[in-house]
Amino acid sequence: MDAQRIDTIVETHDLPTYRRQQLLHAFFTENCATFDDVTTLSKSLRTSIDLPAMTVRKRRLLVSNEGNAFKALVELDDGKLIETVLLEPKPGLWSCCISSQVGCLMKCSFCATGRLGFTRHLTSEEITDQVLFWRQYIRAEGLEANLRNVVYMGMGEPFHNKDAVFASLRELTNPETFNIGARSISVSTSGLVPAIEEFTDQFPQINLAVSLHAATDELRQHLMPVNKPYPLEKLRAAMDYYVDNTNRKLFIEYIMLDGENDQPAHAEKLVQYIRGMARPHLAHVNLIVYNPTDAGHRESPRAIARAFMAILKDNGLSATIRKNLGRDINGACGQLALKGQV
Ligand code: SAH
Ligand code: SF4
C-alpha cells in the first residue's frame, strides 16, 4: 500500500477526492491491513476493490526471549520470501529493520544474506510495506509502540537497488502517507560510491551508515568483494562528500571479527583512515559484535572489543559498541537468511 496504489484505486473506481483521504487515513493513520477493515467505505465498494492491500504477507513470526525483537518471514506476490525485523532497543523506542532485496549480490564473507546470493530487487512498495506490516502488527497485538524509526539494514544492499530504494525513501517521508521524519531514517551501504553521492544530493537529511569493517584495502577486499571496484580511498571521498554537503554525522559500521580485524594495529589503521577524512569529528564508529552465521568467523571477546574502542577514543574519535538484539531468533544484523524457515 502506498500513495500510488491508492491513486490507482481512486482512478479505477472513479472515486471522489474525499474517498482518497479516507483511504489514506485508513491505511496510514488507522493502520488497517485490508480493504475490509476500512469501515468508512461502503461494503459494496470494499468488495469491488480486487487489488490486495499489501504486497507482503506473513508466513512466520518469531519473538525473542526478551520480547524486544520480532522477526517476520514474509511472502511477496511472486512467492519469494524476505525477512523483516522490529526492534525495541530502548524502552519505548521502536525501530524496524527492513530489507531492500531478495538476497544480496555483494557476497560479504561474514553475512548470511550474502551467502544466499541475489534473487531480485524489491519494489518501492515491497520495501515500505514492511513498515506498514509492523505498524499493523503493533496494532493487532495491542503493543504500546509508536514506530517512527526505520533502518535499511535488513537483507540486501540498498544502493544496488537504488531507484526503488530512493522511491521508498520519498514515500516514507511523504506527509500524505508515512510522514516519517528524514532524521529518523537510516540507510546502510557496503560502499557503492556513485550512489552515496546521489543519495547525498537527494536525501541530505537521511542518516547514512557505511559498512567499513576494515581500514586496509587488502583486508577489506578479503571480507567484502565490493572493495575492489570501490576501494577505501574512493569510499573516503564519497564519505567526505556526504559530510561536506550535509554537515551531518556519518556512521561507520565495523564488525569485530576475532583475530581478523580486531587487533590494536587494526584500530590504529582505522584511526588513520578516519583522520584522513575532511571532517573526522563528524564520523561515529559503531563497533558491531559479530553475530554467528555459517561463515566461519568468530566474534571478538568483549575485552578485545573494549580495548579497540579505547584506542579510537584515545585518538579523539567517537565510538560505541552496538547492542545486539534478536540473536536468539537469528534476527540480528547479518543473520537474515531464511534459515530453516522456508
Ligand atoms: N547491505 C547493507 C545493509 C544491510 S547489512 C550493508 O552491508 O551495509 C546491515 C549491517 O549488518 C551492515 O553493517 C553489515 O555489515 C552488518 N552485518 C552483516 N553480517 C553481519 C554479522 N554476521 N554480524 C554482525 N553484523 C553483520
Ligand atoms: Fe549484502 Fe550487506 Fe550482507 Fe554485504 S553485509 S552481503 S552488502 S546485506
Side-chain angles (χ1 to χ4, degrees):
M1 176 56 60
D2 57 11
Q4 209 178 334
R5 186 169 291 243
I6 289 183
D7 288 340
T8 307
I9 292 162
V10 168
E11 270 169 43
T12 326
H13 295 265
D14 200 15
L15 303 178
T17 319
Y18 76 93
R19 289 287 189 210
R20 181 172 184 275
Q21 291 310 325
Q22 284 177 332
L23 284 164
L24 285 168
H25 187 81
F27 287 101
F28 295 98
T29 306
E30 302 285 326
N31 300 318
C32 290
T34 65
F35 288 105
D36 244 354
D37 295 342
V38 188
T39 47
T40 47
L41 300 185
S42 67
K43 181 96 183 127
S44 65
L45 180 55
R46 272 184 262 160
T47 45
S48 70
I49 300 175
D50 54 3
L51 272 180
M54 297 284 288
T55 59
V56 304
R57 275 167 294 281
K58 182 175 86 186
R59 274 278 289 269
R60 192 168 153 182
L61 203 136
L62 298 172
V63 182
S64 70
N65 292 334
E66 291 171 29
N68 56 5
F70 307 76
K71 179 170 83 163
L73 177 73
V74 297
E75 184 173 346
L76 309 171
D77 285 344
D78 62 355
K80 299 277 182 289
L81 300 168
I82 53 162
E83 293 183 337
T84 182
V85 177
L86 175 69
L87 300 165
E88 190 190 16
K90 287 184 197 150
L93 182 80
W94 291 81
S95 165
C96 65
C97 174
I98 59 177
S99 295
S100 56
Q101 297 178 315
V102 183
C104 184
L105 189 68
M106 298 299 147
K107 299 201 174 357
C108 301
S109 71
F110 43 78
C111 172
T113 307
R115 296 169 78 82
L116 288 176
F118 173 72
T119 303
R120 75 163 171 88
H121 293 308
L122 297 190
T123 64
S124 166
E125 192 178 16
E126 287 168 338
I127 297 170
T128 58
D129 268 357
Q130 296 170 59
V131 181
L132 279 186
F133 172 87
W134 287 120
R135 285 188 174 175
Q136 291 162 7
Y137 177 76
I138 286 167
R139 186 187 84 145
E141 296 295 308
L143 299 175
E144 287 281 318
N146 184 6
L147 178 54
R148 303 206 60 81
N149 286 289
V150 179
V151 299
Y152 285 67
M153 290 197 186
M155 303 171 85
E157 164 50 49
F159 289 165
H160 177 220
N161 182 16
K162 190 188 63 184
D163 293 347
V165 164
F166 284 10
S168 71
L169 292 172
R170 278 191 205 93
E171 187 69 19
L172 290 181
T173 51
N174 178 354
E176 275 203 311
T177 55
F178 289 88
N179 196 22
I180 296 178
R183 286 162 186 252
S184 305
I185 303 175
S186 305
V187 178
S188 174
T189 179
S190 58
L192 300 187
V193 164
I196 292 177
E197 291 168 3
E198 279 182 67
F199 169 83
T200 303
D201 293 341
Q202 297 187 37
F203 303 100
Q205 302 294 323
I206 291 183
N207 303 303
L208 178 66
V210 172
S211 299
L212 198 70
H213 310 320
T216 61
D217 280 316
E218 196 191 356
L219 181 56
R220 190 164 190 268
Q221 207 152 299
H222 172 70
L223 299 171
M224 304 177 71
V226 68
N227 193 72
K228 203 166 176 124
Y230 301 117
L232 285 166
E233 207 167 314
K234 286 188 180 161
L235 182 56
R236 185 161 55 190
M239 299 197 302
D240 278 343
Y241 187 82
Y242 176 85
V243 168
D244 268 350
N245 285 281
T246 62
N247 292 317
R248 306 193 59 230
K249 205 189 273 180
L250 173 106
F251 297 88
I252 293 178
E253 315 277 309
Y254 195 102
I255 305 182
M256 304 297 297
L257 301 170
D258 185 25
E260 295 184 77
N261 68 352
D262 63 350
Q263 299 301 302
H266 298 117
E268 301 288 351
K269 287 279 182 204
L270 183 57
V271 169
Q272 259 175 36
Y273 182 70
I274 295 177
R275 282 211 176 138
M277 286 176 70
R279 294 158 76 185
H281 59 285
L282 284 178
H284 177 87
V285 182
N286 266 327
L287 297 173
I288 307 175
V289 180
Y290 172 65
N291 295 312
T293 68
D294 300 336
H297 302 279
R298 283 181 320 265
E299 103 184 51
S300 303
R302 271 310 229 190
I304 298 281
R306 277 199 292 267
F308 192 98
M309 180 165 76
I311 296 176
L312 303 184
K313 289 192 164 171
D314 289 346
N315 282 281
L317 300 183
S318 126
T320 42
I321 298 181
R322 189 154 81 199
K323 193 170 156 191
N324 265 313
L325 298 181
R327 274 167 81 145
D328 57 332
I329 53 169
N330 281 335
C333 292
Q335 290 186 309
L336 303 183
L338 320 171
K339 207 174 175 181
Q341 299 194 20
V342 188

